[in-house]
């Protein structure tokens, strides 16, 4: 367990350390191993429509999306997860963000990977990066994956990210959490601020972890309100190069991944 006085470096994963949604990348990986699993997208489509209108929670949406794993034995799923991390994830990470992460490790800060991605593969990413603290959305394990998997606890986003880290954070933060800290308020009390600590994320869904540190950075932000808060508070705005151009390019890339027609590995530069 980390020292309570220690400084931290908190990292989101998707679109922060890597310019992709890793769950879509994992879907792409599995569909290329089991093409018949693409039929399970029909099971997901109506739920995605409901989610677009705010009628389904992100946790429920994730459970239905994971239907592409239906029937996979636990041993094969674990093998796929490890291979996926090595072939599809690590080679696609932003070099500049990895350099920042390693800098924090060398400085002796407690580096934390905290992500809404499932713990089917997220811990293997952390392991490969030498990160000892990893918090992800927990999926209930079974000998074979069911059509509709179950989450163990909440989807790891928003204030849940801070709650999940409570055991390694200073006591005053745990106290504030017990008092139901309102993560939506732009100003947090000084008692919950982590002095000398850093946080990195692309998404407004991670404002809770950005607001509790002394130094925050947003990575390729898209939301105007998110950018406005970053500028108002003097947060760094990092813009590593992305493998797609604009929203249309991003959506086309996501569709290809969801259907299993995206390269498993990035093209190697000559």
């Amino acid at each position: 367990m980390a020292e309570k006085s220690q400084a931290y470096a908190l990292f989101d994963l998707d679109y922060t350390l890597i310019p992709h949604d890793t769950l879509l990348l994992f879907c792409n990986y599995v569909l290329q191993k089991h093409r018949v699993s693409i039929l399970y997208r029909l099971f997901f489509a109506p739920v995605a429509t409901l989610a677009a209108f705010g009628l389904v929670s992100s946790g429920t949406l994730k459970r239905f999306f994971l239907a592409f794993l239906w029937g996979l034995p636990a041993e094969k799923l674990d093998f796929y997860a490890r291979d996926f991390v090595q072939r599809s994830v690590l080679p696609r990470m932003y070099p500049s963000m990895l350099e920042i992460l390693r800098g924090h490790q060398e400085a002796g800060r407690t580096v934390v990977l905290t992500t809404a991605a499932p713990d089917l593969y997220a811990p293997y990413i952390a392991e490969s990066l030498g990160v000892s603290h990893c918090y992800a959305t927990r999926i209930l394990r079974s000998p074979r994956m069911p059509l509709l998997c179950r989450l163990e606890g909440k989807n790891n986003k928003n204030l849940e990210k801070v709650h999940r880290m409570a055991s390694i954070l200073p006591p005053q933060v745990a106290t504030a959490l017990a008092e139901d800290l309102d993560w939506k308020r732009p100003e947090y009390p000084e008692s919950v601020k982590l002095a000398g600590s850093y946080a990195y994320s692309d998404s407004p869904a991670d404002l809770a972890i950005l607001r509790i540190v002394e130094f925050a950075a947003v990575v390729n932000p898209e939301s105007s309100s998110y950018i406005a808060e970053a500028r108002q508070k003097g947060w760094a705005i990092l813009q590593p190069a992305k493998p797609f151009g604009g929203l249309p390019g991003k959506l086309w890339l996501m569709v290809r991944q969801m259907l299993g027609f995206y390269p498993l590995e990035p093209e190697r530069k000559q």
Side-chain angles (χ1 to χ4, degrees), residues 170 172-173 176 181 186-195 211-214 233:
Q172 65 267 25
V173 177
L181 173 68
E187 301 299 333
Y188 286 8
E190 287 300 316
S191 61
V192 305
K193 294 293 180 69
L194 300 172
R211 290 169 177 166
I212 67 170
V213 297
E214 186 175 355
K233 293 183 175 178

Side-chain angles (χ1 to χ4, degrees), residues 14-208:
D14 297 345
Y15 299 113
T16 299
L17 287 174
I18 182 172
H20 297 275
D21 182 320
T22 55
L23 185 51
L24 292 182
L25 273 180
F26 193 43
C27 177
N28 178 73
Y29 176 96
V30 173
L31 290 184
Q32 292 192 34
K33 302 289 185 180
H34 301 273
R35 282 295 180 187
V36 70
S37 296
I38 198 169
L39 297 176
Y40 307 153
R41 300 296 85 206
L42 300 175
F43 182 63
F44 170 72
V47 183
T49 302
L50 293 175
F53 292 97
L55 301 176
V56 173
S57 70
S58 61
T60 298
L61 183 66
K62 184 164 293 177
R63 292 177 64 201
F64 277 86
F65 186 85
L66 286 167
F68 70 86
L69 298 175
W70 187 22
L72 279 182
E75 298 81 4
K76 179 169 286 189
L77 176 57
D78 189 62
F79 173 81
Y80 282 170
R82 290 178 180 273
D83 186 55
F84 161 70
V85 168
Q86 297 300 318
R87 295 180 62 187
S88 295
V89 177
L90 298 179
R92 288 189 165 103
M93 287 191 156
Y94 288 125
S96 59
M97 294 304 300
L98 290 179
E99 186 176 347
I100 290 172
L101 185 147
R102 293 186 184 113
H104 288 300
Q105 290 174 320
E106 292 170 2
R109 298 186 183 94
T110 298
V111 177
V112 178
L113 180 65
T114 178
T115 174
D119 65 355
L120 302 173
Y121 58 80
Y124 299 136
I125 297 174
E127 180 183 29
S128 296
L129 297 176
V131 174
S132 56
H133 296 287
C134 177
Y135 301 93
T137 299
R138 293 173 294 205
I139 307 299
L140 203 61
R141 304 305 177 102
S142 58
R144 284 185 178 272
M145 288 297 291
L147 178 61
L148 186 59
C149 68
R150 294 175 57 190
L151 304 188
E152 186 178 351
K154 297 181 179 179
N155 195 25
N156 191 42
K157 63 184 296 186
N158 300 330
L159 191 57
E160 180 65 15
K161 287 196 172 184
V162 185
H163 278 288
R164 292 280 301 281
M165 294 187 293
S167 64
I168 66 168
L169 296 178
Q172 65 267 25
V173 177
T175 300
L177 289 172
E179 295 172 353
D180 294 324
L181 173 68
D182 183 358
W183 73 270
K184 294 182 180 180
R185 299 186 63 178
E187 301 299 333
Y188 286 8
E190 287 300 316
S191 61
V192 305
K193 294 293 180 69
L194 300 172
S197 296
Y198 298 74
Y200 302 85
S201 176
D202 74 295
S203 171
D206 286 333
L207 281 169

Side-chain angles (χ1 to χ4, degrees), residues 208-226:
I209 64 170
L210 294 169
R211 290 169 177 166
I212 67 170
V213 297
E214 186 175 355
F215 307 105
V218 294
V219 182
N220 284 326
E222 297 177 353
S223 164
S224 57
S225 60
Y226 191 42

